[in-house]
Amino acid sequence: MAFFSSIASSLSNFGSAMHQSVNGLMGYEGLEVINPEGGTEDAEEEAQRGRWKQEDRDSYWKMMQKYIGSDVTSLVSLPVFIFEPMSMLQKMAELMEYSQLLDLADECEDPYLRMVYASSFFISIYYACQRTLKPFNPILGETYEMVNHGGITFIAEQVSHHPPISAGHAENDHFVYDITSKVKTKFLGNSLEIYPLGRSRVTLKRDGVVLDLVPCPSKVNNLIFGRTWIDVPGEMTLTNLSTGDKVLLYFQPCGWFGAGRFEVDGYVYNAAEEPKILLTGKWNESMSYHPCDAEGEPLPGTELKEVWRAAEAPENDRFQSTYFAHKLNSLDTAPKKLLASDSRLRPDRYALEKGDLSKSGSEKSSLEEKQRAEKRLRETKGQQFTPRWFDRSTEIAPTPWGDLEIYQFNGTYDQHRAAMDSSDSIEEVDIASTEFNPWQYGDLATE
């Protein structure tokens, strides 16, 4: 996936969908309501199809107007009815659903087919990203563990609150995956542009190959008025830092009546920038590849082969979740002696999963207040938050949308998990009764 070389190219690619916008909503002149399935639908009619009640929609619009043009990453507290019962750390873990593609990349002898497998792995996460409900922002110190999928050990931690930064590490017998995740946003009234400042790297263990990803920006349309939908227009790049081979993929912007929506096309190139393999498909469905000649045309005698297909999803799921997303939430699949800071234990997330929006909203407010209380306590003591499983490095990595401070996995989680898994002396704890506790400075309820 060839990720943007510049922010200008990403913004220009939004044009096709923007031609569908209609601005005739009385009292909301200039507001864009975009129907991805058509181009002439009346703005008022489309706006009424959204999930907001009119009174909530109108009051929220009045509050949000002052933020137009701003980065709203951590400025606004949102109502829980637009959330899904997952933390952003769990969304990071959701990338691992199709990790077998990285196993295949590690085993592959062909250097170009290796890039096909690896890039398809990174495309596969976008299937989950089409869900229009928002995950919860992690609390500082929050974690998420996964130890029961494809031999993978995965740990993620919220390492910074201002700005919000998450770090993640996954490993099995074939690969090591490291990510520092940070986003930059631009609020446009009824839409939100999202620019990924993060860095994702995969090391394939057999040959020590290091792959570096620059992902696409995305755009959330019809945030308040109309049916919310997500577009991923632009380029994505996956580079083999060891050989110079790379994958450049173009994500087609949504056009009139949905034309081109979800479509992805591109090539695997060698270090001399000669095309070797054509990649094509839809990011919400499947990807296929075809060996090609120096002009990018399919080689005679070869055929298009599918490399990845999205798994079947539950029908009419309340949160549009996949089976794997449900697995990530389940306490039944949690590791032994789950960390009390784990996202599964968040009371607001759990209440939403059970359908209690009122309790979810109050618990969310309570957690946010505890987070503010911990910050005040740290400042009073003249201390700084220290991540537990990741260390901030001295490296500052450039991205197309700004510089990024890199956090590195420090290895202590492996020691912790090995001790938990091997100890018979530790009394078993009922996970369901464990209180969510990411705080480093005592019981904040008493502060």
Side-chain angles (χ1 to χ4, degrees), residues 104-119 204 206-207 209-211 238-247 267-271 274 276-277 279:
L104 292 171
D106 182 54
E107 296 169 347
C108 189
E109 298 284 350
D110 186 320
Y112 308 123
L113 187 54
R114 168 189 290 160
M115 298 297 282
V116 170
Y117 288 128
S119 58
L204 301 178
R206 192 188 66 169
D207 296 331
V209 166
V210 179
L211 307 176
L238 182 67
T239 303
N240 184 331
L241 299 180
S242 305
T243 66
D245 300 336
K246 67 173 54 178
V247 181
Y267 292 94
V268 177
Y269 296 90
N270 64 13
E274 300 166 330
K276 292 296 182 179
I277 299 179
L279 276 161

Side-chain angles (χ1 to χ4, degrees), residues 163-190:
I165 301 176
S166 308
H169 174 86
E171 186 169 356
N172 70 359
D173 291 340
H174 291 283
F175 67 86
V176 177
Y177 167 83
D178 288 289
I179 181 172
T180 299
S181 178
K182 179 182 177 182
V183 298
K184 179 179 180 181
T185 65
K186 186 176 182 180
F187 179 61
L188 300 176
N190 199 35

Side-chain angles (χ1 to χ4, degrees), residues 60-88:
Y60 211 77
W61 169 245
K62 290 177 182 177
M63 184 189 79
M64 292 295 292
Q65 281 180 297
K66 62 183 177 182
Y67 295 113
I68 291 178
S70 301
D71 183 348
V72 294
T73 305
S74 57
L75 288 178
V76 183
S77 181
L78 298 168
V80 294
F81 73 81
I82 68 169
F83 282 69
E84 64 176 331
M86 295 184 76
S87 164
M88 184 60 74

Side-chain angles (χ1 to χ4, degrees), residues 158-264:
Q158 189 69 4
V159 296
S160 173
H161 181 56
H162 287 298
I165 301 176
S166 308
H169 174 86
E171 186 169 356
N172 70 359
D173 291 340
H174 291 283
F175 67 86
V176 177
Y177 167 83
D178 288 289
I179 181 172
T180 299
S181 178
K182 179 182 177 182
V183 298
K184 179 179 180 181
T185 65
K186 186 176 182 180
F187 179 61
L188 300 176
N190 199 35
S191 62
L192 185 72
E193 293 174 354
I194 303 172
Y195 305 100
L197 274 70
R199 188 180 77 177
S200 296
R201 284 193 174 170
V202 168
T203 300
L204 301 178
K205 288 187 172 182
R206 192 188 66 169
D207 296 331
V209 166
V210 179
L211 307 176
D212 181 78
L213 181 75
V214 182
C216 286
S218 56
K219 185 169 185 179
V220 184
N221 298 286
N222 299 352
L223 277 174
I224 304 173
F225 298 85
R227 295 166 292 178
T228 304
W229 61 282
I230 296 173
D231 202 11
V232 186
E235 291 182 351
M236 179 187 246
T237 307
L238 182 67
T239 303
N240 184 331
L241 299 180
S242 305
T243 66
D245 300 336
K246 67 173 54 178
V247 181
L248 300 176
L249 291 173
Y250 179 67
F251 284 57
Q252 182 75 21
C254 179
W256 284 90
F257 301 102
R261 190 179 181 192
F262 307 120
E263 292 182 7
V264 183

Side-chain angles (χ1 to χ4, degrees), residues 144-148 154 330-339 342 344 413 417 420-421 431:
Y144 183 77
E145 298 180 80
M146 182 179 70
V147 297
N148 47 32
F154 176 94
S330 175
L331 292 175
D332 294 336
T333 61
K336 178 181 177 182
K337 288 288 291 184
L338 181 68
L339 293 168
D342 195 88
R344 298 174 183 86
Y413 174 78
R417 181 44 55 200
M420 294 301 99
D421 291 344
I431 295 176

